[in-house]
Amino acid sequence: MKARTALLLGSLSAALVAFALTSPRVVAADKVDPVADAKAFQNFFFQKFPNVKHEDFVNGPYSMNEDMRRQWQEKEEFPPYEFALDAGRDMFATPFKNGKTYADCFPNRGIAIRQNYPYFDTKEGKVVTLELALNRCREANGEAPYSYVKDEMASLAAYMAVTSRGKLMDIKIPDDPRALEAFENGKRYFYTRRGQMNFSCASCHVQSPGERIRAEILAPALGILNAMPIYRSEWSGMGTTSRRFITCNSQTRAVPLEPQADEYRDVEYFLSYVANGLPISGPGARP
Amino acid sequence: MASSIRVRATSNGDITEVQTLIQHPMDTGLVKDAKGELIPAHYIQELKFACNGKDVFVANWGTAISKDPYVKFSFKGAKKGDDLKISWTDNKGGSDETTAKIA
Amino acid sequence: MTTHTGPHPTRRLILQGAASVALIGLGNLPLTPARAAANDKYPEEAFKLKNEADAIKALYGKTAEPSDKIKLDAPEIAENGGVVPISVTTTLDKVTSISFFVADNPNALAASYKIPDGTIPAVANRLKMAKTSNVTAIVEADGKLYSATKEVKVTVGGCGG
Amino acid sequence: MKRSLPLAMLLAVSFAPMARAATEADYKAAYAAAETASKEAAGMRNQWTTTVSTLAAARKAGDGGDFDRAMAAAKEAEALAKASIFQATSEKEAWKAMEIR
């Protein structure tokens, strides 16, 4: 046992030395080129899954497996997110105490705009997600914010998604170095290994989509956020993008960040941008 | 409060197809909550569909029906515009009912 | 007990009703097991039995024979044991009821549907499955019982909430 | 794909109890070291759930006077925290290997 400990510490320090030797080229000023990144990202999936129609990637694991696809189609006949959707529609139409509504906070009164979220706010210098905008709308109108992960927030997001179904994801990166930085940070977050399992987002959703990890069939990263929010049978309920990130982190045995942490906002920005041109399919139903 | 029952009933002239989704926890009584305490069983036992004064479908359910239960069936003898009455009762004495027009 | 719209009104009244139904069901069961499906009462006892054969007996008072006139549609691998879409159709005549059993669930009987005259003998529903198990559909037609069985693999169980 | 790090982590969790009985002072020192490493990992936004739970187990055993167990858990938590720090450090560059280009 002592020998094992030594081995462990040895391998750690050896690796650290190796790292130290390769690290002088830290921050090799790679040019950030989101257009090229998005193209490469999409091509990777289109080539890896030549039989999947491009617009079908937004249906996650169901684009990859026929037996599951049939179960999904059966579910979609009367989808499990129906109740959340109805609740969201009602909430969206119900005025705040001051008489204003959600519609007053959004472009086009909140209808058919999901494909433009998240966006980079050049005033704030940060990424703003739909959920963040919804809570800011509430707070600006004197209402308490909702939890970012489920329940009311998921219902509202579900309603806003359904009015945008079929619209093509259309995320912009404004001419602002901070926007490029947010994109780059999101990209780094996506590919960085974390947790005791030593998995990155990409370990599952780039390298192994369509395969089973334990019981679940992994969704492709391409278009994964176009289906948000989702009803997951595993949750027996709805969840937002925040909830999805948090569960992913936990599954790799990484302590999740707080919902709407900068890292989560940035990775949402990255993942949405590289899915530009693919349709909004949310709310989705997932295993 | 919104009804717990969602119905789609459509007639093709001869046959009426009915799909229903009901908001209900369908707790089995075997699952523990976050505090480690058993959540008592709470599930719909009977679901009835009646059209023109006659039962057209009756479901008896146990705890193995999924949360927010779904069921689909078809029957003859109704036409567009007829009323379809749906009612359920659960093991704790809860109940709900609604009436849908066949489309 | 059918005139309210909220989920939990007049609970006491209906509870009393349910309790007396249960008592009657218990009292009658050993003598006339076949009645449970024939009359309109909720087959409380059949739902409580663990074993599939016992539950079929409690519900119908007889045994079933396999039939190729029943088509049981279920996934090979359930995407989640909490929500397994299962449906059945049959070309048998004079169908009066259709029931679903999951052999390896804590209680085998999942659902029993009465099919009155004029209703098509076909039903689709979503079941919970605790683990990989045979799923059996029983069709009662012209007073006889017929069955179809299919195995559904479950990797994420439906009992974890 | 790199396999060395998961292997190291596997080893990290298979620590055995000490040969001689641990004292409260041993445990406190080990716990303090583990806590420091754990805080550093959290500061890098790369805490592992297992570090948190193992550290909690150490404290629980320590509070209950089982210093052997507490010591072992603290050592394990420290190793986990250090592995997570190593991970975060190496990933500062290593993530690029996985990037789709």
Side-chain angles (χ1 to χ4, degrees):
Chain A
M1 288 298 168
K2 286 272 185 216
R4 275 195 179 183
T5 310
L7 186 69
L8 164 72
L9 293 174
S11 71
L12 272 175
S13 50
L16 277 169
V17 169
F19 169 71
L21 288 175
T22 55
S23 54
R25 54 168 222 101
V26 179
V27 200
D30 290 336
K31 203 171 143 279
V32 183
D33 186 350
V35 176
D37 282 350
K39 194 158 182 251
F41 200 86
Q42 297 197 357
N43 281 340
F44 172 87
F45 284 96
F46 295 161
Q47 279 162 21
K48 188 171 172 124
F49 301 100
N51 297 326
V52 175
K53 286 189 190 129
H54 294 183
E55 67 275 15
D56 205 20
F57 279 98
V58 299
N59 296 318
Y62 302 121
S63 63
M64 315 258 125
N65 181 295
E66 197 47 44
D67 189 42
M68 279 186 67
R69 192 180 184 88
R70 288 185 56 223
Q71 297 180 59
W72 171 57
Q73 283 165 338
E74 192 281 338
K75 274 195 304 189
E76 284 287 319
E77 284 199 24
F78 222 135
Y81 48 75
E82 185 93 359
F83 294 107
L85 204 48
D86 286 352
R89 187 180 291 114
D90 285 352
M91 288 162 63
F92 199 83
T94 308
F96 302 125
K97 287 191 282 291
N98 66 6
K100 299 223 172 174
T101 64
Y102 290 105
D104 297 320
C105 296
F106 289 94
N108 200 37
R109 304 197 57 75
I111 304 303
I113 59 162
R114 163 69 182 91
Q115 68 281 4
N116 302 321
Y117 287 80
Y119 70 94
F120 189 84
D121 181 356
T122 47
K123 274 192 226 96
E124 189 190 350
K126 283 192 175 192
V127 173
V128 177
T129 65
L130 184 63
E131 289 81 6
L132 206 55
L134 278 163
N135 259 352
R136 286 180 177 177
C137 175
R138 291 183 59 75
E139 291 180 298
N141 287 289
E143 305 281 336
Y146 286 138
S147 150
Y148 278 110
V149 290
K150 53 185 183 175
D151 301 331
E152 292 95 342
M153 184 59 84
S155 295
L156 281 168
Y159 172 66
M160 291 183 79
V162 89
T163 67
S164 317
R165 270 197 181 167
K167 299 271 176 203
L168 305 183
M169 190 67 97
D170 187 18
I171 306 302
K172 304 263 196 301
I173 298 185
D175 187 12
D176 183 324
R178 294 170 304 174
L180 277 182
E181 199 187 325
F183 176 86
E184 184 71 4
N185 286 344
K187 181 165 81 179
R188 184 190 312 122
Y189 188 88
F190 180 77
Y191 290 111
T192 296
R193 292 173 179 277
R194 60 178 57 81
Q196 194 189 11
M197 308 291 283
N198 202 33
F199 276 16
S200 69
C201 309
S203 308
C204 287
H205 299 286
V206 170
Q207 296 184 342
S208 316
E211 292 169 28
R212 279 180 191 276
I213 178 159
R214 286 181 267 166
E216 298 176 58
I217 291 197
L218 292 164
L222 178 60
I224 197 166
L225 297 183
N226 297 44
M228 296 292 161
I230 50 175
Y231 182 101
R232 282 195 90 184
S233 302
E234 194 186 318
W235 296 335
S236 291
M238 297 290 295
T240 59
T241 301
S242 296
R243 188 172 187 183
R244 193 69 194 81
F245 289 155
I246 286 167
T247 7
C248 272
N249 280 164
S250 306
Q251 281 166 336
T252 67
R253 298 189 192 156
V255 173
L257 306 173
E258 60 282 11
Q260 303 295 329
D262 286 350
E263 290 93 331
Y264 284 165
R265 287 156 74 174
D266 290 348
V267 75
E268 183 173 342
Y269 192 46
F270 166 74
L271 274 173
S272 303
Y273 180 84
V274 297
N276 269 351
L278 296 181
I280 297 296
S281 62
R286 294 290 182 269
Chain B
M1 196 193 130
S3 171
S4 68
I5 305 172
R6 298 284 184 285
V7 197
R8 286 179 202 152
T10 50
S11 166
N12 68 2
D14 182 31
I15 292 174
T16 302
E17 184 188 88
V18 182
Q19 286 178 287
T20 306
L21 191 72
I22 301 169
Q23 194 162 29
H24 199 284
M26 298 302 283
D27 291 317
T28 59
L30 304 171
V31 178
K32 287 179 180 162
D33 64 14
K35 289 181 199 144
E37 286 166 27
L38 275 182
I39 303 167
H42 184 200
Y43 59 100
I44 294 177
Q45 292 188 319
E46 187 177 78
L47 168 69
K48 270 190 187 182
F49 298 77
C51 187
N52 299 322
K54 173 180 172 282
D55 283 351
V56 292
F57 193 72
V58 180
N60 284 322
W61 283 344
T63 54
I65 297 293
S66 302
K67 181 193 170 191
D68 295 346
Y70 165 85
V71 71
K72 175 165 92 168
F73 71 98
S74 303
F75 70 101
K76 293 180 184 173
K79 55 185 188 306
K80 283 185 203 297
D82 283 357
D83 279 345
L84 181 70
K85 194 179 131 188
I86 301 108
S87 57
W88 60 257
T89 52
D90 71 24
N91 69 317
K92 288 187 176 177
S95 69
D96 196 6
E97 66 163 43
T98 193
T99 301
K101 283 251 184 292
I102 295 169
Chain C
M1 65 193 225
T2 50
T3 50
H4 18 47
T5 49
H8 308 293
T10 59
R11 166 169 301 186
R12 205 176 332 149
L13 185 74
I14 298 166
L15 265 176
Q16 282 170 358
S20 54
V21 166
L23 284 172
I24 292 165
L26 279 170
N28 280 354
L29 194 78
L31 300 170
T32 53
R35 279 241 186 107
N39 64 28
D40 275 350
K41 290 189 190 91
Y42 177 74
E44 184 103 27
E45 199 58 26
F47 276 109
K48 281 184 186 159
L49 294 169
K50 305 214 172 308
N51 177 281
E52 176 175 299
D54 294 347
I56 294 173
K57 207 148 184 242
L59 192 61
Y60 290 109
K62 50 198 163 194
T63 53
E65 58 178 86
S67 167
D68 59 9
K69 290 183 174 167
I70 303 173
K71 188 172 170 282
L72 175 62
D73 197 7
E76 299 204 350
I77 304 176
E79 60 162 34
N80 184 294
V83 193
V84 187
I86 292 174
S87 64
V88 70
T89 58
T90 177
T91 53
L92 288 161
D93 280 335
K94 297 184 187 168
V95 173
T96 48
S97 86
I98 295 175
S99 301
F100 292 91
F101 296 83
V102 182
D104 294 329
N105 266 4
N107 306 99
L109 177 58
S112 183
Y113 299 95
K114 295 190 187 87
I115 311 290
D117 264 356
T119 295
I120 314 293
V123 56
N125 59 186
R126 299 168 186 165
L127 304 183
K128 287 181 204 142
M129 294 182 64
K131 55 183 171 185
T132 298
S133 170
N134 277 337
V135 174
T136 297
I138 299 275
V139 176
E140 185 181 35
D142 203 10
K144 289 209 181 88
L145 287 193
Y146 303 92
S147 69
T149 296
K150 192 180 170 190
E151 189 193 56
V152 177
K153 288 194 177 66
V154 174
T155 45
V156 182
C159 288
Chain D
M1 219 198 295
K2 272 202 301 187
R3 290 277 174 216
S4 54
L5 195 55
L7 183 68
M9 287 158 203
L10 198 68
L11 293 174
V13 295
S14 55
F15 264 89
M18 312 299 110
R20 88 180 154 81
T23 64
E24 182 167 9
D26 293 340
Y27 150 67
K28 285 211 161 139
Y31 187 89
E35 202 173 30
T36 305
S38 153
K39 277 186 181 148
E40 187 182 344
M44 297 172 91
R45 312 271 284 166
N46 197 46
Q47 185 70 285
W48 291 357
T49 53
T50 36
T51 307
V52 177
S53 57
T54 311
L55 205 54
R59 158 143 269 167
K60 200 176 165 203
D63 288 351
D66 185 349
F67 298 120
D68 274 353
R69 183 179 298 225
M71 173 90 175
K75 287 269 182 207
E76 186 182 325
E78 186 188 4
L80 287 166
K82 288 207 161 144
S84 73
I85 293 164
F86 169 73
Q87 179 188 52
T89 312
S90 70
E91 283 295 310
K92 276 182 187 162
E93 277 300 303
W95 69 270
K96 289 182 183 164
M98 232 195 255
E99 188 188 352
I100 300 173
R101 281 171 180 274

